[in-house]
Amino acid sequence: MATVTIKIKRQNPEISGKDKPYWEEFTLKDVDPTDRLLEMLHRIKWEQDGTLTLRRSCAHGVCGSDAMRINGVNALACKVLMQDVGETIMVEPILGLPIVKDLVVDMEPFFDHYKAVMPFFVNDDPVPENGRERLQSIEDRESFDDTTKCILCACCTTSCPSFWANGKYVGPAAIVQAHRFIFDTRDKASQERMDALAEPNGVWRCRTIYNCTPACPRDIQVTKAIGEVKLAIRRGSPTGIIKAIG
Amino acid sequence: MQIHKHEAIIVGAGGAGLMAALYASKGGTDVAVVSKLYPTRSHTGAAQGGISAALGNLDDDAPIYHAYDTVKGGDYLTDQNAAMVLADNAIDAVIELEHMGLPFDRTPDGKISQRRFGGHTSNFGESLVRRACHAADRTGHMILQTLYQQCIKQKVNFFDEFQVVDLIINKDKCVGVVAVDIGTGEFHIYHGKAVLFASGGWGRCWEVTSNAHSLTGDGAAVVLRKGIPLQDMEFYQFHPTGIYRMGILITEGVRGEGGVLLNSRGERFMERYAPSVKDLASRDVVSRAIYDEVEAGRGIKGNNYVHLDIRPSTVNRFFAEEGRPESDYIDDAYVEKKLPDILDFCRTYLGVDPVKEPMPVQPTAHYGMGGIPTNIDAEVVTDENWAVYPGLYAAGETACVSVHGANRLGTNALLELVVFGRRGGMKIAEDVKQMEWTDLPSDAGKAMESEFKRIRTSKGKTKSHELRQKMQNMMMRKVGVYRTEETLSEAVEELKEMKQLYYTDLTIDDEGSIFNTDLMEAWELGCLLDLAEVTAVSALNRTESRGGHSRDDYKKRDDENWLVHTLVHSDSGDVQNPNYQINIKKKVDLSLAEKDDKFIPKERVY
Ligand SMILES: Cc1cc2nc3c(=O)[nH]c(=O)nc-3n(C[C@H](O)[C@H](O)[C@H](O)COP(=O)(O)OP(=O)(O)OC[C@H]3O[C@@H](n4cnc5c(N)ncnc54)[C@H](O)[C@@H]3O)c2cc1C
Ligand code: FES
């Protein structure tokens, strides 16, 4: 693969004529199959058009900055290799959040949903008398391991048709965050979180469409986690839902 | 220009900034955290292997052993009082993270799980100790998430995607910072009684690096430009195991779990360089060994990399040779469980499956031991007498306490964030109660507005990206693992030329205000150039080899002349034409050695 064409959906509110979304095409030569798409976007920005705007930081899939829609599917640009996307690649901003400029969207609504599920550990019981850690079995720790991996990139939430249809829906990422605490045996605020998610814009907006799970760059079983939260709410308690995993 | 007034301004929302914010806020201070990234995007989230504390959950351990390892690992440039504070406070700090909900891996009896890491030993070097507390290989991610969560709970004020570009000084006190709202391009003034920099490292000075694109040393550069010194900048750590050519880090935890380094002949070469702890010698030692193997023609397929092998068959073979019990042996499932992210990186980026094949690795620019000099309460100090700069604080990688001396041990950085972030936050909470407000100077922010206008409208021929690449490539060759007077003098000259271009010949494509990353990247390049320059200047001045600073022309450590810190500052008052002065009168703190012979500097053998 030597030459590729990258079509980018762009928008710049400051320039008339470019203030509505439009597609622009860039051609790159000498592309290696193992180059990351993020590097290609950098090459466009650095070699051809410095006005191309995107967020990025870590460049290896751990900071969650560069979620975008790549050939119609949400992913982190830094985790997509050129060999996996063909010779003509379509890159768009993630859907359902207001566009700021080019591939940059306004993340505030996303973080507001996140904050709505009490995404923090609550346990006001006295700490162990010896002043040391609270104990937790390997199995109990394992039961919420998957959802601790979330990097808040928004790939899942912005791939969800229910979220596109109704931006007030808290979305998969917020539910994943709630799951991380609801199923942590040390936490004491599960009930409040479950109450928050039982509201009309909570978990029941999820129609199990399953877009979120393949979109997750951290391989979190998002739909499964949402299912577990739904079940916990139905039963009124998280206990016993996740069987100890060996 | 919009003016915000908060008692404490924290610049940066990585582990250090969040910890400081949390503690200042808990102490009753009105805090604003100003960060160019959303907090959870900070590079603390990339830290993998662990955070050390002598909990002794699995092996016999004590803070004094931890302090000893830290001092020795730092090749005796470590300030011993600070190392003791670090090791002592570690236990509380890590336990507190657990109480905040951090999901550490667990031992069979439910305690925090610990693993081995380079240079961490029991009983003053006797044997390797399991001291690194971890959550799989995403410990930094869990620390960052946990601290951000607690800050939300504590209702700390955040200004996300605001980039600090200058420090405001009035009457020799720090009274605030100037920041650009990245989203709108507008300038904002943050007026405070206390300013704490926690803005992270500057690994982007080098071409092959484990550091994020955003790690451009802004905070250190901003401080340096005000004539305030930076300390020990010649000590920059190259981590031995970055993914070949990409620099993405492969945690030392891989070797902590039994992984070994092999050359083209399949030899476990670290046996020759560090007979006792082998692959878990300190990082400077291992990085040089890889470099030497490659120089001797023993790189894999004649290239400049070696193999890191965590295949259970390999690991168990060496365990058997070492006489370790069979219960220590590992299998594929264990590797998957303990190192999921590492496996994912290698499978994604290299198409290499580490449970089946070895990983190609080379040293990668990783961590700045130097930075803004502080005392153990995160107050910035400016000279050999530890004079405190009023209102100014620093913590985390951008600070130099100095607990890492000439070479940092793995897991001690995350620890430094929580220990000194917390101490800084507490000190600020105490200090602001006594401090009066000092007015802003009337011209606050004006100089930066015109500097940004200069960059935005520059019409030269040099793209910031070209210049950055040139610098990164040059730094790799001339200010890398090994240096000499010749390479360093050339580096200093070349950096002067690059800065000349930066100030006279830049060109920018994006002239807009909204989310202008073209402009911000160009400004960040200026920071990188300044830090590269003081790194080279400091390295040229230090005519010895110690820890991460290896001079081919001065191969020996020289304790007679160099048990001192380097302080470098500019006395020209002119950002474009700095005149760097070096002060080597600040002696290393040897307070532990005064009480205990084991801490007296001696040759470092692993
Ligand atoms: C890949 C990798 C793995 C590592 N693994 C380990 C490990 O296992 N154990 C260990 O102990 N250490 C590890 N380290 C080292 C350690 O993670 C870092 O030194 C540490 O996380 C730095 O934290 P910090 O809070 O100082 O800065 P960072 O986490 O880098 O945060 C910097 C903050 O400053 C902000 N900022 C920067 N410039 C500006 C500006 N101009 N204006 C406003 N805000 C600004 C950023 O937005 C960010 O919030 C690792 C490092 C790397 C790179
Ligand atoms: S740049 Fe960090 S996730 Fe892609």
Side-chain angles (χ1 to χ4, degrees):
Chain A
M1 198 201 301
T3 301
V4 299
T5 305
I6 302 188
K7 294 184 183 169
I8 303 177
K9 196 175 192 183
R10 305 192 59 180
Q11 184 173 348
N12 185 341
E14 285 181 284
I15 299 177
S16 73
K18 296 190 169 178
D19 51 351
K20 299 269 170 327
Y22 67 100
W23 288 90
E24 187 165 354
E25 203 173 292
F26 297 91
T27 305
L28 286 173
K29 295 201 171 70
D30 303 320
V31 173
D32 262 357
T34 57
D35 282 341
R36 289 165 264 185
L37 177 62
L38 177 63
E39 295 170 277
M40 301 304 100
L41 296 174
H42 270 151
R43 275 185 57 190
I44 294 172
K45 182 174 179 62
W46 292 340
E47 294 165 13
Q48 303 185 22
D49 181 354
T51 67
L52 178 67
T53 303
L54 61 143
R55 291 192 178 97
R56 88 287 183 263
S57 183
C58 72
H60 66 285
V62 295
C63 78
S65 295
D66 57 344
M68 33 191 104
R69 211 167 137 83
I70 298 156
N71 290 342
V73 180
N74 280 2
L76 300 171
C78 66
K79 275 199 100 175
V80 169
L81 300 193
M82 297 309 287
Q83 62 196 15
D84 300 325
V85 284
E87 273 152 42
T88 305
I89 303 118
M90 317 272 279
V91 182
E92 301 163 69
I94 44 179
L95 299 178
L97 293 168
I99 290 171
V100 175
K101 182 175 170 184
D102 291 345
L103 299 167
V104 173
V105 299
D106 178 5
M107 295 294 288
E108 289 304 321
F110 174 80
F111 280 106
D112 287 345
H113 288 321
Y114 162 72
K115 288 172 194 157
V117 300
M118 297 176 68
F120 41 77
F121 186 76
V122 178
N123 184 337
D124 298 327
D125 294 351
V127 297
E129 261 177 31
N130 61 5
R132 298 296 291 249
E133 64 265 48
R134 292 193 169 95
L135 301 181
Q136 185 171 45
S137 71
I138 291 176
E139 292 73 26
D140 284 347
R141 164 66 179 79
E142 177 67 28
S143 64
F144 65 102
D145 187 63
D146 204 31
T147 46
T148 65
K149 293 192 270 186
C150 174
I151 55 174
L152 296 167
C153 64
C155 277
C156 59
T157 295
T158 61
S159 71
C160 173
S162 304
F163 178 74
W164 300 338
N166 176 2
K168 291 199 175 116
Y169 167 40
V170 291
I175 304 173
V176 161
Q177 288 292 331
H179 179 282
R180 177 254 169 271
F181 292 104
I182 291 173
F183 291 95
D184 185 338
T185 48
R186 301 168 300 167
D187 185 83
K188 300 288 180 198
S190 298
Q191 196 57 52
E192 279 129 287
R193 284 191 199 92
M194 293 192 308
D195 290 348
L197 286 172
E199 294 291 316
N201 288 316
V203 279
W204 307 118
R205 291 244 173 250
C206 164
R207 302 277 185 271
T208 327
I209 297 164
Y210 201 69
N211 274 7
C212 51
T213 302
C216 178
R218 304 283 293 153
D219 292 330
I220 299 171
Q221 298 301 305
V222 182
T223 314
K224 178 165 173 272
I226 296 176
E228 287 163 355
V229 172
K230 284 178 177 169
L231 193 56
I233 292 176
R234 263 199 220 103
R235 290 199 190 161
S237 156
T239 6
I241 288 177
I242 303 177
K243 295 278 168 306
I245 308 154
Chain B
M1 244 180 272
Q2 203 178 323
I3 298 177
H4 309 259
K5 201 167 168 180
H6 296 274
E7 285 174 306
I9 317 294
I10 312 284
V11 183
L18 294 175
M19 197 71 180
L22 193 57
Y23 269 87
S25 175
K26 283 185 177 172
T29 308
D30 168 27
V31 182
V33 180
V34 185
S35 174
K36 71 176 177 182
L37 302 174
Y38 274 100
T40 58
R41 316 283 185 232
S42 306
H43 212 53
T44 293
Q48 304 166 353
I51 175 167
S52 48
L55 301 179
N57 283 354
L58 290 162
D59 295 321
D60 173 40
D61 205 359
I64 191 78
Y65 304 159
H66 187 180
Y68 173 84
D69 293 334
T70 302
V71 166
K72 177 181 170 187
D75 219 352
Y76 297 91
L77 192 74
T78 307
D79 280 329
Q80 300 189 350
N81 59 334
M84 199 61 235
V85 168
L86 182 81
D88 263 337
N89 288 186
I91 297 181
D92 272 0
V94 168
I95 294 295
E96 191 181 14
L97 290 174
E98 196 282 329
H99 292 165
M100 291 178 188
L102 197 142
F104 283 109
D105 284 9
R106 299 288 167 160
T107 64
D109 51 0
K111 295 182 186 160
I112 295 172
S113 176
Q114 300 186 276
R115 61 161 63 113
R116 294 181 185 86
F117 241 81
H120 288 280
T121 69
S122 184
N123 203 8
F124 309 102
E126 198 177 271
S127 56
L128 288 164
V129 69
R130 283 174 285 186
R131 184 181 287 150
C133 310
H134 58 273
D137 53 358
R138 54 175 186 281
T139 315
H141 165 75
M142 291 322 330
I143 290 178
L144 186 65
Q145 296 284 328
T146 303
L147 293 178
Y148 183 52
Q149 292 155 2
Q150 291 298 310
C151 283
I152 293 176
K153 189 177 178 187
Q154 181 68 28
K155 301 199 167 62
V156 171
N157 304 303
F158 282 95
F159 293 85
D160 299 334
E161 299 193 323
F162 280 73
Q163 187 152 356
V164 170
V165 293
D166 204 5
L167 190 62
I168 310 173
I169 290 171
N170 200 12
K171 302 182 186 131
D172 295 321
K173 274 190 222 147
C174 175
V175 296
V177 295
V178 183
V180 178
D181 176 350
I182 300 174
T184 64
E186 283 162 12
F187 281 79
H188 289 237
I189 304 274
Y190 290 83
H191 184 194
K193 291 180 178 175
V195 171
L196 181 137
F197 276 90
S199 46
W202 46 94
R204 286 280 154 180
C205 284
W206 288 268
E207 190 165 33
V208 176
T209 177
S210 66
N211 280 201
H213 287 285
S214 56
L215 287 174
T216 49
D218 308 2
V222 159
V223 166
L224 177 72
R225 288 169 180 177
K226 289 293 177 202
I228 296 166
L230 296 182
Q231 181 170 307
D232 295 343
M233 291 298 285
E234 63 273 39
F235 297 100
Y236 198 88
Q237 179 169 79
F238 283 75
H239 190 294
T241 59
I243 292 184
Y244 178 48
R245 289 201 298 202
M246 281 189 256
I248 298 173
L249 194 79
I250 300 296
T251 175
E252 198 170 294
V254 170
R255 285 171 283 141
E257 299 290 0
V260 291
L261 290 162
L262 304 172
N263 63 19
S264 61
R265 298 181 188 159
E267 284 167 348
R268 186 182 185 185
F269 56 87
M270 283 312 298
E271 289 176 336
R272 279 186 273 117
Y273 296 87
S276 108
V277 296
K278 307 186 184 83
D279 300 271
L280 287 172
S282 72
R283 290 177 179 172
D284 56 325
V285 175
V286 183
S287 282
R288 279 193 295 273
I290 294 176
Y291 197 93
D292 292 350
E293 287 298 300
V294 166
E295 283 294 289
R298 294 191 287 272
I300 309 292
K301 297 186 193 142
N303 291 317
N304 55 343
Y305 69 91
V306 295
H307 274 150
L308 173 60
D309 197 341
I310 184 71
R311 287 177 296 180
S313 55
T314 311
V315 172
N316 294 340
R317 177 158 55 87
F318 285 109
F319 278 1
E321 261 178 36
E322 286 165 14
R324 299 247 301 247
E326 267 184 49
S327 58
D328 279 6
Y329 289 13
I330 63 170
D331 57 16
D332 290 5
Y334 181 84
V335 178
E336 299 273 358
K337 194 75 237 161
K338 285 291 179 185
L339 302 162
D341 282 0
I342 295 304
L343 301 188
D344 181 39
F345 298 152
C346 291
R347 288 168 182 158
T348 304
Y349 297 117
L350 295 168
V352 164
D353 185 348
V355 294
K356 300 207 183 74
E357 291 166 82
M359 303 166 253
V361 295
Q362 74 178 143
T364 183
H366 185 58
Y367 182 89
M369 271 75 71
I372 307 168
T374 70
N375 61 24
I376 54 170
D377 287 313
E379 295 172 290
V380 172
V381 293
T382 54
D383 63 11
E384 67 275 20
N385 302 318
W386 298 79
V388 168
Y389 197 99
L392 189 57
Y393 305 74
E397 186 167 338
T398 202
C400 179
V401 191
S402 137
V403 284
H404 309 305
N407 169 68
R408 172 173 76 82
L409 290 188
T411 70
N412 267 354
L414 289 175
L415 180 59
E416 172 189 24
L417 308 181
V418 293
V419 165
F420 293 102
R422 178 166 78 159
R423 295 180 71 95
M426 285 158 77
K427 182 78 175 111
I428 286 176
E430 212 178 276
D431 289 355
V432 295
K433 288 188 189 125
Q434 273 113 51
M435 286 157 103
E436 298 294 329
W437 283 95
T438 304
D439 291 342
L440 290 169
S442 55
D443 60 350
K446 294 283 183 306
M448 269 304 122
E449 265 184 337
S450 54
E451 169 63 0
F452 271 75
K453 189 159 172 228
R454 176 192 75 76
I455 303 176
R456 191 200 302 263
T457 55
S458 50
K459 292 273 178 285
K461 291 182 295 298
T462 308
K463 286 195 171 200
S464 67
H465 157 68
E466 285 164 37
L467 203 51
R468 186 173 55 236
Q469 231 179 11
K470 208 165 141 191
M471 169 198 68
Q472 290 170 332
N473 179 284
M474 185 284 289
M475 287 295 282
M476 211 66 200
R477 287 182 289 115
K478 299 189 174 170
V479 196
V481 173
Y482 283 107
R483 303 102 190 246
T484 65
E485 170 153 1
E486 198 187 343
T487 67
L488 292 168
S489 319
E490 285 169 11
V492 171
E493 279 318 303
E494 287 177 41
L495 284 163
K496 285 216 173 78
E497 288 160 22
M498 291 182 208
K499 281 177 64 171
Q500 181 67 18
L501 282 178
Y502 180 78
Y503 283 111
T504 59
D505 193 47
L506 216 54
T507 173
I508 284 273
D509 289 348
D510 196 339
E511 294 180 15
S513 303
I514 294 176
F515 229 98
N516 189 342
T517 52
D518 199 19
L519 176 65
M520 297 321 291
E521 282 183 17
W523 180 79
E524 288 171 341
L525 172 61
C527 296
L528 288 172
L529 285 166
D530 282 354
L531 296 181
E533 192 177 6
V534 288
T535 301
V537 166
S538 304
L540 183 59
N541 190 61
R542 186 176 282 266
T543 49
E544 65 155 355
S545 287
R546 183 186 296 273
H549 173 65
S550 299
R551 291 276 305 247
D552 247 351
D553 44 357
Y554 296 91
K555 287 188 192 298
K556 285 249 155 14
R557 195 177 89 192
D558 172 4
D559 286 350
E560 208 146 298
N561 298 300
W562 288 105
L563 268 178
V564 290
H565 297 291
T566 302
L567 288 173
V568 58
H569 82 284
S570 166
D571 66 2
S572 70
D574 175 354
V575 172
Q576 297 196 11
N577 296 294
N579 180 34
Y580 291 120
Q581 300 293 329
I582 289 186
N583 168 356
I584 53 166
K585 284 184 285 204
K586 190 176 181 194
K587 293 207 175 73
V588 172
D589 179 279
L590 297 171
S591 48
L592 296 175
E594 283 160 21
K595 286 172 272 170
D596 184 344
D597 286 355
K598 290 199 230 28
F599 285 85
I600 295 174
K602 57 183 153 313
E603 202 192 333
R604 203 169 48 135
V605 250
Y606 280 105

